[in-house]
Amino acid sequence: MPHFILEHSANLPIETEALVSQVQQFACASGLFDPTSVKTRAVAFEHFQLGNDKKGFIHLQIHLMEGRTLEQKQTLINEALKLLIAKVGENFALSAHCYDLLSDIYRKN
Protein backbone atom coordinates (compact mmCIF):
# COMPACT_ATOMS: atom_id res chain seq x y z
CA MET A 1 0.00 0.00 0.00
CA PRO A 2 -0.31 2.61 -1.57
CA HIS A 3 -1.09 1.97 -5.23
CA PHE A 4 -0.09 4.60 -7.82
CA ILE A 5 -1.93 3.83 -11.07
CA LEU A 6 -1.11 5.80 -14.20
CA GLU A 7 -3.87 5.72 -16.80
CA HIS A 8 -2.48 7.36 -19.94
CA SER A 9 -2.73 7.78 -23.66
CA ALA A 10 -0.32 5.54 -25.55
CA ASN A 11 1.40 8.53 -27.19
CA LEU A 12 3.47 9.77 -24.24
CA PRO A 13 6.74 11.57 -25.06
CA ILE A 14 8.47 9.46 -22.38
CA GLU A 15 8.94 5.71 -22.09
CA THR A 16 6.20 4.27 -19.88
CA GLU A 17 8.74 2.26 -17.87
CA ALA A 18 10.70 5.42 -17.12
CA LEU A 19 7.56 7.27 -16.04
CA VAL A 20 6.52 4.40 -13.76
CA SER A 21 10.00 4.40 -12.22
CA GLN A 22 9.94 8.16 -11.63
CA VAL A 23 6.48 8.05 -10.05
CA GLN A 24 7.65 5.17 -7.83
CA GLN A 25 10.68 7.21 -6.74
CA PHE A 26 8.46 10.24 -6.11
CA ALA A 27 6.07 8.19 -3.95
CA CYS A 28 8.90 6.65 -1.94
CA ALA A 29 10.52 10.06 -1.39
CA SER A 30 7.27 11.69 -0.25
CA GLY A 31 7.80 10.55 3.33
CA LEU A 32 4.15 9.50 3.58
CA PHE A 33 4.68 5.78 2.96
CA ASP A 34 6.94 2.88 3.80
CA PRO A 35 8.96 2.66 0.56
CA THR A 36 8.76 -1.14 0.61
CA SER A 37 4.97 -0.95 0.36
CA VAL A 38 4.62 1.41 -2.65
CA LYS A 39 3.25 -0.13 -5.86
CA THR A 40 3.20 1.73 -9.18
CA ARG A 41 1.77 0.57 -12.49
CA ALA A 42 0.54 1.97 -15.78
CA VAL A 43 -2.28 1.25 -18.20
CA ALA A 44 -2.08 2.68 -21.73
CA PHE A 45 -5.09 3.56 -23.87
CA GLU A 46 -4.67 3.36 -27.65
CA HIS A 47 -8.07 4.85 -28.40
CA PHE A 48 -9.23 8.05 -26.72
CA GLN A 49 -10.86 11.37 -27.44
CA LEU A 50 -10.26 14.58 -25.56
CA GLY A 51 -12.55 17.59 -25.48
CA ASN A 52 -9.67 20.03 -25.80
CA ASP A 53 -6.59 20.61 -27.93
CA LYS A 54 -4.34 18.40 -25.79
CA LYS A 55 -2.27 15.69 -27.50
CA GLY A 56 -2.89 13.04 -24.88
CA PHE A 57 -3.54 12.51 -21.19
CA ILE A 58 -2.39 11.08 -17.89
CA HIS A 59 -4.67 10.45 -14.94
CA LEU A 60 -2.86 9.38 -11.77
CA GLN A 61 -4.93 7.45 -9.26
CA ILE A 62 -3.45 7.21 -5.79
CA HIS A 63 -5.13 4.59 -3.65
CA LEU A 64 -4.06 4.78 -0.02
CA MET A 65 -5.23 3.66 3.35
CA GLU A 66 -7.46 6.12 5.14
CA GLY A 67 -5.88 8.35 7.75
CA ARG A 68 -3.81 10.87 5.77
CA THR A 69 -4.83 14.48 6.31
CA LEU A 70 -6.45 16.55 3.60
CA GLU A 71 -3.33 18.75 3.55
CA GLN A 72 -1.07 15.71 3.04
CA LYS A 73 -3.23 14.51 0.15
CA GLN A 74 -3.37 17.98 -1.44
CA THR A 75 0.41 18.31 -1.21
CA LEU A 76 0.89 14.83 -2.67
CA ILE A 77 -1.43 15.60 -5.61
CA ASN A 78 0.11 19.02 -6.29
CA GLU A 79 3.64 17.60 -6.27
CA ALA A 80 2.58 14.67 -8.46
CA LEU A 81 1.13 17.07 -11.04
CA LYS A 82 4.38 19.07 -11.02
CA LEU A 83 6.28 15.85 -11.73
CA LEU A 84 3.94 14.90 -14.59
CA ILE A 85 4.18 18.37 -16.15
CA ALA A 86 7.97 18.16 -15.97
CA LYS A 87 7.90 14.79 -17.75
CA VAL A 88 5.31 15.34 -20.50
CA GLY A 89 4.79 19.09 -20.72
CA GLU A 90 1.71 21.28 -20.97
CA ASN A 91 0.37 19.66 -24.16
CA PHE A 92 -1.11 16.74 -22.22
CA ALA A 93 -4.25 16.76 -20.09
CA LEU A 94 -3.08 15.87 -16.58
CA SER A 95 -5.13 14.97 -13.54
CA ALA A 96 -4.65 13.18 -10.24
CA HIS A 97 -6.88 12.02 -7.43
CA CYS A 98 -6.40 10.36 -4.03
CA TYR A 99 -8.76 7.58 -3.11
CA ASP A 100 -9.03 6.44 0.51
CA LEU A 101 -9.19 2.69 0.98
CA LEU A 102 -11.28 1.77 3.98
CA SER A 103 -9.57 -0.72 6.26
CA ASP A 104 -12.94 -2.36 7.04
CA ILE A 105 -13.36 -3.45 3.42
CA TYR A 106 -9.81 -3.58 1.96
CA ARG A 107 -8.01 -6.92 1.99
CA LYS A 108 -4.70 -8.17 0.67
CA ASN A 109 -2.60 -11.26 1.20
Side-chain angles (χ1 to χ4, degrees), residues 4-16 18-20 22-23 40-45 48 50 52 54-62 77 80-97:
F4 283 70
I5 304 166
L6 292 153
E7 294 181 332
H8 64 87
S9 56
N11 63 339
L12 296 180
I14 181 174
E15 293 287 329
T16 303
L19 183 59
V20 168
Q22 291 167 7
V23 170
T40 304
R41 58 189 175 271
V43 179
F45 292 87
F48 61 92
L50 301 172
N52 55 32
K54 302 291 185 176
K55 294 180 180 179
F57 71 93
I58 298 175
H59 175 65
L60 175 60
Q61 299 180 37
I62 304 172
I77 291 295
L81 284 176
K82 287 180 189 176
L83 170 69
L84 295 176
I85 290 169
K87 299 304 170 189
V88 301
E90 299 279 346
N91 291 329
F92 281 75
L94 305 174
S95 59
H97 189 270

Side-chain angles (χ1 to χ4, degrees), residues 1-5 33 37 39 41 61-68 73 97-108:
M1 191 46 45
H3 296 268
F4 283 70
I5 304 166
F33 316 108
S37 69
K39 298 160 191 74
R41 58 189 175 271
Q61 299 180 37
I62 304 172
H63 297 261
L64 43 85
M65 293 305 293
E66 61 188 331
R68 305 303 187 302
K73 290 184 257 188
H97 189 270
C98 282
Y99 300 87
D100 283 335
L101 297 173
L102 306 175
S103 59
D104 289 342
I105 56 174
Y106 176 78
R107 299 293 182 266
K108 67 177 186 173

